[in-house]
């Protein structure tokens, strides 16, 4: 049985590739990252790409005999927005037809893949233990002030989530410090540290995101940024957030005395 993995940057595609190898599936890995050889030990076949060449990718998937594909990992937004001339004709066509935010673009890529009879399957099904659960997740529970700020942040996110920005927000003492835009969560966290030096981060899933390939993700880099910024509590949406390397993540949260909380519905 064969499957294809379109692997962007970060640890998530590596974890998925390891798990696929454990299930003894023949795996084609299309690597859109600077260190493709990281994935080589887990690939039956490895294809390296410097920029999204969707036409070539589809040809490789079909030639490999895969009728299922997993999409995981990040692609830098400067490639999506600033370097379209590097794209192949298929990718440029998708860019022209899609709204210019990364979630809409990913959705258009998925549509193009599935139009070819290839099913895009949810990556979180490969790593179910990485999904955040509800309630207290770290060794330290949130303080009452942190819970109050979390509740207010949720109110803000209910307004911003239907938009093409605002997946995460920092709130300190009942005031909005920063809202995430194109810069990403970690840079927003550092900006929050410069502005307030304390507070909570709340991250939730946008209404436009697709759980097959686009879950909100947190990892040790999130906690490192929070520690530098002086932020003390991270709240994520239960059942809709991926916690990368959970053992390392929660050990670091304990070391830094950062509360991690799973927001329920």
């Amino acid at each position: 049985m064969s499957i294809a993995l379109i692997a962007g940057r970060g640890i998530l595609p590596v974890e998925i590739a390891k798990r696929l190898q454990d299930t003894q599936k023949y795996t084609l890995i299309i690597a859109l990252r600077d260190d493709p050889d990281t994935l080589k030990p887990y690939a039956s076949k490895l294809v390296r790409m410097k920029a999204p060449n969707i036409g070539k990718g589809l040809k490789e998937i079909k030639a490999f005999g895969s009728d299922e594909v997993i999409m995981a990992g990040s692609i830098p937004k400067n490639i999506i927005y600033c370097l379209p001339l590097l794209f192949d004709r298929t990718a440029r066509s998708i860019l022209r037809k899609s709204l210019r935010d990364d979630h809409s673009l990913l959705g258009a890529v998925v549509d193009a893949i599935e139009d070819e009879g290839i099913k895009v399957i949810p990556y979180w099904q490969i790593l179910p233990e990485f999904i955040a659960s509800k309630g207290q997740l770290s060794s330290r529970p949130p303080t009452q002030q942190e819970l109050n700020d979390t509740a207010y942040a949720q109110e803000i996110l209910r307004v911003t989530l239907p938009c093409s920005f605002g997946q995460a927000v920092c709130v300190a003492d009942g005031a909005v410090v920063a809202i995430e835009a194109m810069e990403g969560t970690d840079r927003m966290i550092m900006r929050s540290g410069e502005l307030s030096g304390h507070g909570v981060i709340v991250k939730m899933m946008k209404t436009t995101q697709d759980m097959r390939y686009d879950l909100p993700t947190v990892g040790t880099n999130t906690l490192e940024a929070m520690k530098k910024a002086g932020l003390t509590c991270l709240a994520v949406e239960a059942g809709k957030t991926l916690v990368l390397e959970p053992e390392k993540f929660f050990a670091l949260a304990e070391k830094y005395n950062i509360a991690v909380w799973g927001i329920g519905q």
Side-chain angles (χ1 to χ4, degrees), residues 4 14 21 26 34 43 103 112 120 133 154 157 172 186 195 255 265:
V14 180
Q21 186 184 57
Y26 295 102
D34 297 330
H103 305 292
V120 176
S133 56
Q154 287 179 262
L157 289 175
D186 292 349
L195 292 168
K255 177 181 176 180
Q265 297 296 320

Side-chain angles (χ1 to χ4, degrees), residues 158-233:
R158 290 188 186 102
V159 176
T160 63
L161 288 174
C163 304
S164 60
F165 73 98
Q167 185 174 36
V169 62
C170 176
V171 171
D173 301 327
V176 175
V177 178
I179 296 178
E180 178 185 354
M182 189 182 289
E183 81 274 34
T185 305
D186 292 349
R187 289 190 181 183
M188 186 272 286
I189 289 172
M190 298 311 296
R191 181 158 53 90
S192 301
E194 294 171 0
L195 292 168
S196 70
H198 71 289
V200 307
I201 294 293
V202 180
K203 186 168 185 174
M204 296 175 65
M205 187 171 180
K206 293 183 183 180
T207 55
T208 55
Q209 287 179 255
D210 190 315
M211 288 190 69
R212 289 174 295 174
Y213 58 86
D214 198 18
L215 284 182
T217 301
V218 295
T220 55
N221 58 323
T222 311
L223 298 177
E224 294 287 0
M226 289 181 65
K227 175 64 174 177
K228 291 178 182 177
L231 309 181
T232 56
C233 179

Side-chain angles (χ1 to χ4, degrees), residues 93-122:
S93 175
I94 289 171
L95 268 176
R96 285 194 297 270
K97 293 177 182 178
S98 304
L99 295 172
R100 292 300 296 271
D101 68 79
D102 48 346
H103 305 292
S104 298
L105 289 168
L106 283 170
V109 170
V110 169
D111 289 343
I113 292 171
E114 295 204 324
D115 284 347
E116 297 293 324
I118 301 165
K119 184 179 180 181
V120 176
I121 63 174

